[in-house]
């Protein structure tokens, strides 16, 4: 595994760890990567443009109002040029600016105008890192899709010990190798995914239906996370007010039968993630006209089972996706019930979703899940934003796809 011929835009921030950027540039250049840099005003207090330029063989960008630089390459082109943008070290102050969308200098403007992944590598005093304001910014930025590496635990330049130390250039290189390995694999193999999201409605008559509280948020976030990683993603959504990213192919459905039909039409895919809250039952008959209260007798509604879409995918001999990922919404015996569903439906992963609390789960921005793989290994994610959970799920399943592929070849 190695990283070569990539275009890396390095934003060097104002912290003592800025000196490590020189070592990172050296490592990246050694492997034939192109590196361009933006040195922030406070970064310049720690490293000089001359030392950076000596290593990159390229001009160091500093000022957004520098006419010569803008003529050569403007701030929009600079962000389009890069395969990834890295901010190193990312200070607490810089995170605050990003979390409120400030564009006050070249670095923040390039980031705000960027359509690329942005990797933040924080470094700061432990108290600053664990401060509620910083942690709130971290959550906001994760929610916006920023990637994070570190900080690590260790002794810091200020002499204190704890979480706040910047990841080493070698750790950063290892992260980048993994990152590009996954991206290149997805691109080369043209990986496709289908994601189901939202509720279904099972009509009794033209105005009454069986449904649930699902908003579609979790499924939409998963589709967005996969798409961000370069996966060609189709989102099959039950009724929801959410709007998906334009790169995602969206198919809107209402009933479980319609969802099933769209899922079948979307095959073959390498990955299927089923986050929809599909109704298990539907009325045996949908009345053409609105049922009259007097004609409706108590206990007279007869139900029939809907096809289980995940089970269909998991046991499909012809078009089984390489990875079938199910959800299990549970209010008790979370992992035990989820594992039985994983086995019964022949899935590769099941996301055990604790829906017993009112501050997460259905129709909330937050969720609590355990990601369980086929061998029974459990990764617990405590209450967190659905976007964060979606990124974790996407990361884990893409990693698995890559490992499986390697073991075949
Ligand atoms: O949409 P949000 O408001 O963001 O909420 C997210 C969520 C709580 C709906 C989501 O995270 C979640 O847990 N989805 C699964 C809900 C569910 O129906 O769970 P289940 O345990 O009943 O079903 C197990 C699995 O079978 C699910 O992947 C479901 O999509 C699938 N299924 C169920 C019935 C059916 N007929 N076909 C299916 O494919």
């Amino acid at each position: 595994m190695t990283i070569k011929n990539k275009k890396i835009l390095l934003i060097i921030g104002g912290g003592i760890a800025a000196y490590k950027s020189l070592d990172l540039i050296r490592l990246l250049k050694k492997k034939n990567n192109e590196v361009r840099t933006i040195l922030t005003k406070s970064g310049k207090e720690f490293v000089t443009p001359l030392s950076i330029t000596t290593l990159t063989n390229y001009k160091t960008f500093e000022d957004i109002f520098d006419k010569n630089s803008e003529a050569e390459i403007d701030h929009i082109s600079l962000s389009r040029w890069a395969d990834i943008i890295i901010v190193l070290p990312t200070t607490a102050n810089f995170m605050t600016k990003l979390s409120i969308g400030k564009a006050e200098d070249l670095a923040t403007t390039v980031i705000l105008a960027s359509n690329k992944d942005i990797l933040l590598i924080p470094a700061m005093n432990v108290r600053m890192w664990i401060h509620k304001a910083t942690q709130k910014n971290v959550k906001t930025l994760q929610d916006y899709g920023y990637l994070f590496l570190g900080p690590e635990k260790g002794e810091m330049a200020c002499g204190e010990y704890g979480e706040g130390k910047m990841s080493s250039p070698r750790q950063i290189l290892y992260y980048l190798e993994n990152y590009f390995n996954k991206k290149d694999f997805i691109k080369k193999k043209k990986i496709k995914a289908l994601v189901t999201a939202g509720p279904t409605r099972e009509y009794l008559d033209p105005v009454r239906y069986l449904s649930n509280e699902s908003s579609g948020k979790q499924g939409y976030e998963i589709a967005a996370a996969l798409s961000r990683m370069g996966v060609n993603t189709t989102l099959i959504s039950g009724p929801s007010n959410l709007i998906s990213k334009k790169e995602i192919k969206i198919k809107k459905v209402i009933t479980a039968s319609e969802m099933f039909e769209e899922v079948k039409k979307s095959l073959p895919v390498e990955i299927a993630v089923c986050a929809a809250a599909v109704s298990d039952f539907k009325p045996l008959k949908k009345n053409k006209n609105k049922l009259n209260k007097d004609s409706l007798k108590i206990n007279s509604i007869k139900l029939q089972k809907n096809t289980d879409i995940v089970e269909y995918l998991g046991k499909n001999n012809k078009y089984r996706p390489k990875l079938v990922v199910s959800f299990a919404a549970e209010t008790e015996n979370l992992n035990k019930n989820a594992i039985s569903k994983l086995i019964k439906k022949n899935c590769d992963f099941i996301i055990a979703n604790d829906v017993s609390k009112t501050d997460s789960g259905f129709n909330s921005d937050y969720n609590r899940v355990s990601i369980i793989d086929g061998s029974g290994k459990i990764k617990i994610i405590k209450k967190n934003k659905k976007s964060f959970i979606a990124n974790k799920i996407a990361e884990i399943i893409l990693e698995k796809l890559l490992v499986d592929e390697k073991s075949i070849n």
Side-chain angles (χ1 to χ4, degrees):
M1 182 168 63
T2 186
I3 155 182
K4 59 174 185 234
N5 303 330
K6 300 295 178 202
K7 295 175 181 152
I8 317 279
L9 177 59
L10 209 58
I11 296 177
I12 303 171
I16 181 64
Y19 77 92
K20 292 187 189 170
S21 64
L22 301 178
D23 207 17
L24 181 65
I25 295 170
R26 203 181 48 78
L27 290 173
L28 287 168
K29 291 288 291 179
K30 216 166 128 187
K31 293 186 184 247
N32 283 336
N33 299 286
E34 266 187 85
V35 184
R36 293 198 184 160
T37 50
I38 297 175
L39 183 60
T40 64
K41 200 168 159 224
S42 35
K44 210 172 165 181
E45 301 289 330
F46 297 92
V47 283
T48 68
L50 180 63
S51 42
I52 297 167
T53 295
T54 309
L55 291 170
T56 58
N57 291 325
Y58 206 88
K59 164 190 173 75
T60 304
F61 295 96
E62 291 179 59
D63 190 356
I64 192 161
F65 300 117
D66 178 346
K67 282 203 199 76
N68 294 334
S69 300
E70 279 282 309
E72 189 184 334
I73 182 165
D74 64 78
H75 60 277
I76 303 288
S77 318
L78 199 54
S79 78
R80 298 294 176 272
W81 169 85
D83 291 321
I84 190 168
I85 300 176
I86 304 174
V87 185
L88 163 165
T90 310
T91 60
N93 190 38
F94 199 80
M95 281 202 285
T96 305
K97 291 184 201 173
L98 296 186
S99 67
I100 57 171
K102 259 202 158 184
E104 64 168 14
D105 55 12
L106 184 59
T108 46
T109 309
V110 163
I111 289 180
L112 206 61
S114 166
N115 58 352
K116 299 293 162 56
D117 280 346
I118 297 158
L119 173 64
L120 305 181
I121 308 184
M124 64 196 76
N125 170 272
V126 58
R127 292 276 148 212
M128 286 173 91
W129 173 250
I130 63 175
H131 197 285
K132 276 189 180 162
T134 308
Q135 286 307 309
K136 196 171 165 210
N137 285 336
V138 171
K139 284 220 161 123
T140 304
L141 293 170
Q142 280 171 337
D143 195 27
Y144 291 162
Y146 286 83
L147 306 170
F148 276 83
L149 176 64
E152 318 293 329
K153 258 194 185 156
E155 192 162 333
M156 280 162 281
C158 58
E160 287 189 23
Y161 182 89
E163 210 177 352
K165 193 179 160 73
M166 196 177 86
S167 304
S168 71
R170 293 249 164 233
Q171 282 171 314
I172 299 168
L173 197 69
Y174 184 71
Y175 177 96
L176 291 175
E177 282 173 346
N178 259 318
Y179 170 86
F180 281 116
N181 209 20
K182 227 180 272 171
K183 277 237 153 171
D184 292 347
F185 163 75
I186 291 164
K187 200 169 159 194
K188 195 168 138 217
K189 297 277 173 183
K190 298 190 171 72
I191 301 296
K192 282 196 206 159
L194 75 81
V195 177
T196 69
T200 63
R201 289 180 186 166
E202 312 302 327
Y203 281 87
L204 191 57
D205 67 21
V207 294
R208 299 186 180 96
Y209 54 78
L210 290 176
S211 192
N212 57 67
E213 283 287 312
S214 167
S215 61
K217 284 178 187 169
Q218 187 63 81
Y220 276 61
E221 289 292 356
I222 293 168
L226 288 169
S227 166
R228 249 194 320 272
M229 287 302 290
V231 177
N232 179 344
T233 307
T234 300
L235 175 63
I236 302 165
S237 167
S240 164
N241 295 326
L242 301 174
I243 297 167
S244 63
K245 281 175 47 179
K246 69 173 189 323
E247 296 78 15
I248 297 169
K249 215 177 296 152
I250 176 109
K251 295 182 176 178
K252 291 263 189 180
V253 298
I254 296 175
T255 64
S257 309
E258 288 170 10
M259 186 171 274
F260 183 40
E261 286 311 310
E262 286 301 340
V263 165
K264 283 192 285 188
K265 277 191 220 159
S266 305
L267 297 175
V269 291
E270 281 75 20
I271 300 167
V273 184
C274 297
V278 187
S279 179
D280 290 319
F281 300 97
K282 63 181 173 189
L284 193 57
K285 180 172 162 254
K286 177 181 172 186
N287 241 62
K288 192 164 162 251
N289 296 311
K290 183 177 173 235
L291 285 162
N292 183 307
K293 188 165 76 175
D294 300 327
S295 70
L296 202 62
K297 292 195 193 83
I298 287 175
N299 295 336
S300 67
I301 299 168
K302 290 210 165 56
L303 299 174
Q304 61 177 317
K305 269 193 171 175
N306 276 320
T307 306
D308 193 301
I309 301 170
V310 176
E311 194 163 348
Y312 168 84
L313 290 167
K315 295 183 178 169
N316 193 310
N317 288 330
K318 197 168 172 201
Y319 289 128
R320 188 190 189 280
K322 285 188 178 134
L323 294 181
V324 175
V325 184
S326 176
F327 269 72
E330 306 291 339
T331 52
E332 56 180 350
N333 301 325
L334 182 67
N335 292 343
K336 189 167 164 262
N337 290 350
I339 289 170
S340 341
K341 284 181 183 170
L342 178 135
I343 295 167
K344 180 167 184 280
K345 301 185 189 200
N346 194 30
C347 302
D348 302 279
F349 286 95
I350 194 145
I351 316 300
N353 200 157
D354 179 356
V355 291
S356 65
K357 315 268 189 312
T358 52
D359 62 350
S360 64
F362 281 89
N363 201 11
S364 160
D365 287 340
Y366 295 88
N367 219 350
R368 292 178 161 86
V369 303
S370 299
I371 303 175
I372 306 176
D373 71 13
S375 70
K377 201 168 96 197
I378 300 175
K379 177 170 177 53
I380 298 169
I381 305 182
K382 288 188 190 148
K383 185 183 165 189
N384 213 318
K385 285 258 180 130
K386 283 181 175 167
S387 51
F388 175 83
I389 289 172
N391 281 329
K392 273 275 163 276
I393 293 171
E395 206 178 283
I396 288 173
I397 60 181
L398 288 171
E399 186 71 43
K400 165 84 175 142
L401 200 66
L402 187 70
V403 169
D404 287 356
E405 181 78 15
K406 270 195 189 154
S407 67
I408 293 169
N409 296 328

